[in-house]
Amino acid sequence: MPDVRLVNVTKRFGKILAVDNVSLHVYDKEYFSLLGPSGCGKTTLLRLIAGLIKPDEGEIYIGDRLVNDVPPEDRDIGFVFQTFALFPHMDAWDNVTYGPRVKGFDMKKIETLGHEVLEMVRLHERLDAFPNELSGGMMQRIAVARALAAGAKLLLLDEPLGHLDAKVRDELRYEIRRMAKDLGLTAIHVTHDQSEAMAISDRIAVMKKGKVVQVGTPYELYMNPKNIFVAHFIGESNFLEGYISNISGKEAVIELRGGVKVHASCEEMKRGDRVVLAVRPETFIMEKGVRKGKNALVGFVEKVSFQGTNIRYEVRLENQDLVVVVKPSLTEEWFNTGEKVTVSFPSDKAHVFSYPSVGLKEEVAVE
Amino acid sequence: MPKPEVTDALDRLSSKPMVKYGVYLTAVVVFFALILLPPILGIIIKWNTMQEVLGQGERVFWKETLAFIPEMWLLIFAHLAITYPYFVRSVAAAIERISFDLEEASRTLGAKPLVVFRTIVLPLIKYSVFSGAIMVFTRSVSETGATLAVATTLKTVPVVLVNWVNPQPPKLPATPLETGLGCGFLILFSFIILLVFRVVVRGKGRY
C-alpha cells in the first residue's frame, strides 16, 4: 500500500524554479490535493511523482521505494490527464484494457479487469465507442477507468475536471473520490479550484511559486490560514491594513486606517507592528444604522449581488476601506444599496498577519 | 513570477519522449547522409582534381568517382535523396499532431518506449506514412534527371520512354504505337500502385 514521500524536491527549467525544495508526505489511502494558482508548480510536482520528469534535487519515495530513477512504466501508477488523453485509434474497451495488455496480463484477467472498471464508471454499454463518439464526462470516466484497470494503488489526477462543464464537474469529482475510497487507493489530485479541493480532499497542500505554503485538512486551512496567501486563496477574505496600537496577552488592539480601533487575537506580534487583519465575509455581523460596540465599523452598502444561496454586499466603511459581507439569502434580512450599516466581527474570528514585505497586492497575486 | 505557459512548455519539452527524438534524429541523419555522402566521397577521392570535380558537377561526383558502388544502389540513393523530403514532410506533420499526453499516458500505463511507438505512434502516423509513400512514388516515377546523372546502363521506365521518343543517333525514334503502349503501361502501373495504396489507407479511419 503506497504512501508518497517527497524529500527536499527541487525542479528547475532553465532559470525558472518550478518546484522549490518541497517536502511532503501523502499518507496511504489518502485523498490528497495539490492546490494553487496557474504556474505554481503543482502539475510539475505531480509529473515528478509520476516519473514523467526527473527532479534536479531531492528524493521521491513511493511506499518504501526510492523512485528517482524509476521510469513511469515501472512506478505502478494510474495517471489521469486534464485532456483525457484517450487513444483516438482505440475504442473504449481497448483504451481501458491497454494497461493490462502492455503489462502482459493473461486474456482472462484482462477481460475480468476491463468489465470490472467499465462497470465501476457505468459505461459498460459504450465499450465499443471511439473517444470522438463520447461526451467530455464519458471520456474522463473512461480515462479514470483506464488508469484503474492496471491495478495501480496510486492514482494521480492532473486537473481531471478542468475541461468539463460545471454540472458534470460537480458530479464527477465525488464519483472519482468514491472510486478511490472504495478501491482503497492513495490519490493525489491537482487543481486550481479551491472549492473542488475543499469538497473532496482529506488534506490539501496549498502551493505558491513552487513552494508548499501550507498543508492541512480543508477545515484547518479555512479556519486557521497560516499566511495571507492561504487566507486569500482558500475561500474569500477581507484584508484591512493597520498598526498594533496595544497588546495584552493574546489580544491586540489594531488601529486601522482613519484611526478606527478593533480587537483581534494574535501571536508573536508587538506594539507598532504593521499588520493586515483578515476577516471572512461570512464572519461579519451586519446591522442597520450606526451601532456602538466592540469591533463595530460603520459604512454604507455600495453594492448588492444576489447569488442564489447567498447575498453578497460590498460595504464602503467610513475610512474608505471596502469590505465584502456574505449572508444567507433566504434566512436573513436584506439590506439595500446606499443604506447606512454597522458591520462587526468577533475578535477570535479574525486573523492578524504581519504586513508582507513585498506588499499586500503582490503577496496575494495569483498570476 | 513566470508565466504558466512558459513553465508548461518547458515542462513538456523536458519530458518529450525519446521516441520522437529518435524519429527526428534518424530522419535528419539519413537525409543529410544521402545528400552529402556522394559529394564528400567525391571530394575525398578526387581531392587533387577539385576544380575538375566542381566544374563537372554531379555527373563527376557520382558516376565516375563512385564507380565502385553498384549502379543499382547509386540509383536507389539518388531517388531516395530526391524523394525523402516529401516523405519526411508528410510524416513529420503527423508526428507533430500527436499529443504528448498520449505517449505519456501510455508510459504511465506500463508501456516501454518501443511499445509506445508500436502501439500509439505508429498507428497514428500510419496514414501519413502511406500518403508520403504515394508522393514518393509519384515523384520517383517521374524522375529522369537524377537517373541519367548516376546510371549508365540501368534505365528507369521514364528514361526508357524518353529514349524511345528522342533516341541518341543513329538510333531511330520508336513508332507512335510503341511509345503509346509504353506510356499506357506506365499509366496502368502507376494506377495499380496508387489503387493499392488507397485501399490500404482507407482502413477503418475512425479518427
Side-chain angles (χ1 to χ4, degrees), chain A residues 84-304:
Chain A
F84 319 137
L86 293 180
F87 306 130
H89 55 300
M90 296 181 193
D91 61 19
W93 175 259
D94 285 342
N95 263 287
V96 165
T97 56
Y98 182 85
R101 278 188 285 124
V102 294
K103 283 185 176 173
F105 291 6
D106 68 62
M107 278 313 291
K108 214 169 177 181
K109 196 172 176 191
I110 292 172
E111 289 265 326
T112 319
L113 282 169
H115 287 298
E116 264 176 24
V117 289
L118 278 172
E119 203 70 62
M120 202 181 293
V121 295
R122 293 179 285 112
L123 277 174
H124 210 266
E125 71 284 3
R126 301 305 307 274
L127 55 83
D128 58 351
F130 279 76
N132 62 3
E133 297 164 349
L134 298 169
S135 69
M138 287 176 178
M139 281 200 268
Q140 198 55 302
R141 270 153 58 200
I142 292 288
V144 173
R146 182 180 66 177
L148 298 176
K153 289 287 171 201
L154 175 60
L155 185 61
L156 305 173
L157 306 118
D158 183 12
E159 306 221 21
L161 311 172
H163 280 188
L164 302 176
D165 296 339
K167 275 283 168 201
V168 181
R169 200 160 58 212
D170 285 355
E171 283 171 20
L172 198 51
R173 66 191 187 188
Y174 294 114
E175 205 172 316
I176 292 175
R177 181 186 156 92
R178 177 184 56 76
M179 282 189 275
K181 288 291 172 189
D182 286 352
L183 295 169
L185 309 180
T186 306
I188 304 179
H189 183 124
V190 161
T191 180
H192 62 266
D193 180 346
Q194 56 99 12
S195 65
E196 182 179 308
M198 298 278 279
I200 55 173
S201 314
D202 296 326
R203 281 191 311 147
I204 300 170
V206 182
M207 290 188 71
K208 183 193 175 191
K209 294 184 179 176
K211 284 181 185 291
V212 171
V213 289
Q214 191 173 352
V215 182
T217 63
Y219 183 83
E220 283 165 1
L221 294 177
Y222 193 81
M223 300 307 286
N224 294 309
K226 279 187 183 164
N227 54 55
I228 295 177
F229 181 77
V230 176
H232 174 72
F233 200 73
I234 302 277
E236 199 178 358
S237 284
N238 292 293
F239 295 115
L240 301 166
E241 296 175 34
Y243 289 92
I244 293 189
S245 67
N246 206 350
I247 196 155
S248 60
K250 283 194 171 179
E251 188 162 289
V253 179
I254 297 160
E255 187 174 329
L256 303 178
R257 228 181 337 212
V260 190
K261 288 188 175 170
V262 292
H263 297 252
S265 330
C266 72
E267 285 170 14
E268 294 169 14
M269 299 276 178
K270 61 181 191 304
R271 204 172 159 180
D273 280 354
R274 194 177 177 194
V275 293
V276 176
L277 184 72
V279 188
R280 298 278 185 203
E282 61 277 21
T283 310
F284 279 118
I285 299 154
M286 192 149 95
E287 295 165 289
K288 286 188 179 178
V290 179
R291 304 287 175 101
K292 296 278 178 196
K294 198 178 181 185
N295 297 346
L297 304 164
V298 179
F300 70 92
V301 178
E302 194 170 274
K303 195 175 168 191
V304 181

Side-chain angles (χ1 to χ4, degrees), chain A residues 12 30 65 88 98 189 211 229 231 254 320 347 351 364:
Chain A
R12 289 182 195 86
E30 185 174 36
R65 186 162 69 134
Y98 182 85
H189 183 124
K211 284 181 185 291
F229 181 77
I254 297 160
Q320 294 306 306
S347 305
H351 299 98
V364 298

Side-chain angles (χ1 to χ4, degrees), chain B residues 86-107:
Chain B
Y86 294 87
F87 186 77
V88 170
R89 288 297 301 168
S90 165
V91 175
I95 289 178
E96 282 296 334
R97 277 201 303 274
I98 300 175
S99 161
F100 294 124
D101 287 352
L102 295 182
E103 293 170 57
E104 288 177 351
S106 172
R107 291 291 298 276

Side-chain angles (χ1 to χ4, degrees), chain A residues 47 73 83 89 98 133, chain B residues 11 15 101 106-107 119 206:
Chain A
R47 293 164 64 78
E73 60 267 26
T83 55
H89 55 300
Y98 182 85
E133 297 164 349
Chain B
D11 191 340
S15 64
D101 287 352
S106 172
R107 291 291 298 276
T119 57
R206 293 183 73 174

Side-chain angles (χ1 to χ4, degrees), chain B residues 167-178:
Chain B
Q168 295 287 320
K171 215 175 169 189
L172 292 172
T175 64
L177 179 66
E178 284 170 333

